[in-house]
């Protein structure tokens, strides 16, 4: 467990939570990223600009960190073709299931929504099983 | 105002992801790999985010309306149905394969080379494919 980083994890988690709370306080919405992105891909009049702005904020964040610190690390442990299949399934599954790690995992769970608790438990288990198969049975 | 607030709030969300290293697929997969060299960091990220949101939502939702909109938009569905569970299960498989979920995918694309862009393109295709499948 030498790769465990509890302090930065807690600080980052509070920032994510703060963002979710502010979004509800100011814009009155759940900070569900897959829903926000889906609205960028299928624009509805008057509902497009704020979505692009939110995505722009997500995209700008690592540059802000990079100004004051080192360039954030992004390393993919699995081959590119698995990353691409993963992207397809993430997009499809998030739309079918009505949310992702942010919408269900953070915002929905914080509302004690039964749907979000069920969704979060389900994708946690399926992700853990997937990684077990890929890393230990297939060795990819 | 709501466009500016969306940008700033997206930025704070992204900073949280960068600080907690949740934009690094290696870190996500190390959390999901309970049979390997397990890294529990994601539990702490989620726990801290949950506690903050739980408390914050209680304060915010006690108010009449949000600052820049006429009302709160809260999901009203309460039924745990097939699309929810099948969708979440498929999402989890993709999350385990790529080591990225949608938010971190966008943030990682800024500094992570071409692979996050390939992931995002595939994610967009997957999202649009939803409309063509009946579940």
């Amino acid at each position: 467990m030498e790769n465990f980083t509890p302090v930065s994890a807690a600080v980052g988690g509070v920032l994510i939570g703060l963002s979710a709370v502010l979004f509800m306080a100011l814009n009155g919405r759940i900070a569900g990223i897959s829903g926000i992105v889906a609205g960028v891909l299928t624009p509805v009049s008057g509902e497009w600009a704020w979505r692009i702005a939110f995505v722009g904020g997500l995209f700008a964040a690592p540059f802000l960190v990079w100004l004051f610190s080192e360039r954030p690390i992004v390393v993919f442990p699995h081959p590119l073709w698995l990353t691409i299949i993963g992207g397809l399934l993430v997009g499809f599954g998030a739309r079918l299931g009505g949310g992702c790690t942010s919408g269900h995992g953070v915002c929905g769970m914080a509302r004690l929504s039964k749907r979000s608790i069920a969704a979060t438990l389900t994708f946690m288990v399926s992700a853990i099983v997937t990684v077990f198969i890929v890393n230990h049975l297939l060795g990819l | 105002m709501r466009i500016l607030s969306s940008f700033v709030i997206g930025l704070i969300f992204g900073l949280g992801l960068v600080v907690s290293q949740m934009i690094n697929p290696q870190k996500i997969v190390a959390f999901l790999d309970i049979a390997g060299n397990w890294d529990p960091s994601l539990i702490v990220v989620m726990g801290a985010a949950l506690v903050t949101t739980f408390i914050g939502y209680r304060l915010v939702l006690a108010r009449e309306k949000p600052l820049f909109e006429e009302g709160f938009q809260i999901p009203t569905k309460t039924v745990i149905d097939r699309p929810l569970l099948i969708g979440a299960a498929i999402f989890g498989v993709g999350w385990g394969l790529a080591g990225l979920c949608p938010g971190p995918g966008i943030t990682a694309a800024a500094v992570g080379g071409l692979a996050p862009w390939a992931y995002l393109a595939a994610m967009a295709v997957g999202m649009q494919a939803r409309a063509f499948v009946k579940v």
Side-chain angles (χ1 to χ4, degrees):
Chain A
M1 258 195 238
E2 72 284 350
N3 46 10
F4 184 37
T5 51
V7 177
S8 60
V11 173
V14 168
L15 284 171
I16 292 167
L18 189 68
S19 163
V21 172
L22 282 172
F23 204 45
M24 187 61 78
L26 302 181
N27 295 42
R29 287 174 174 273
I30 296 283
I33 312 292
S34 57
I36 292 172
V37 172
V40 169
L41 299 174
T42 313
V44 173
S45 166
E47 292 294 323
W48 196 75
W50 69 263
R51 292 168 188 271
I52 279 288
F54 195 104
V55 169
L58 282 174
F59 191 81
F63 295 110
L64 192 61
V65 173
W66 197 0
L67 278 179
F68 301 100
S69 174
E70 288 163 27
R71 177 177 175 154
I73 298 165
V74 178
V75 177
F76 286 84
H78 297 148
L80 182 63
W81 63 275
L82 278 182
T83 302
I84 291 171
I85 295 172
L88 276 170
L89 297 177
V90 160
F92 183 82
R95 291 319 293 150
L96 182 60
C100 58
T101 346
S102 52
H104 280 314
V106 176
C107 299
M109 295 248 288
R111 293 191 305 116
L112 306 178
S113 152
K114 277 187 205 140
R115 275 173 60 86
S116 291
I117 293 167
T120 305
L121 288 175
T122 305
F123 67 62
M124 281 286 178
V125 170
S126 76
I128 286 169
V129 170
T130 300
V131 167
F132 183 80
I133 294 171
V134 170
N135 288 17
H136 299 285
L137 300 184
L138 301 176
L140 288 166
Chain B
M1 273 318 278
R2 64 179 199 150
I3 294 169
L4 180 67
S5 65
S6 294
F7 177 79
V8 173
I9 289 164
L11 186 68
I12 297 171
F13 200 110
L15 287 175
L17 294 174
V18 175
V19 168
S20 59
Q21 301 175 59
M22 293 294 107
I23 67 165
N24 187 1
Q26 202 170 40
K27 188 107 180 139
I28 306 296
V29 171
F31 163 74
L32 296 169
D33 190 7
I34 52 174
N37 185 19
W38 192 51
D39 175 2
S41 303
L42 192 143
I43 286 279
V44 178
V45 177
M46 209 160 179
L50 267 176
V51 170
T52 308
T53 309
F54 181 85
I55 297 167
Y57 271 8
R58 256 131 208 91
L59 300 173
V60 168
L61 294 174
R63 301 168 66 93
E64 212 167 285
K65 62 187 192 70
L67 201 56
F68 303 142
E69 297 280 352
E70 286 313 306
F72 294 109
Q73 293 195 35
I74 310 284
T76 49
K77 262 197 199 172
T78 52
V79 188
I80 298 172
D81 51 12
R82 273 163 53 91
L84 177 82
L85 296 177
I86 296 171
I90 293 172
F91 173 84
V93 174
W95 190 33
L97 291 179
L100 282 176
C101 46
I106 293 163
T107 307
V111 286
L114 282 177
W117 289 98
Y119 166 85
L120 286 179
M123 184 181 90
V125 171
M127 283 183 163
Q128 298 303 71
R130 165 66 186 104
F132 300 98
V133 179
K134 261 192 117 175
V135 177

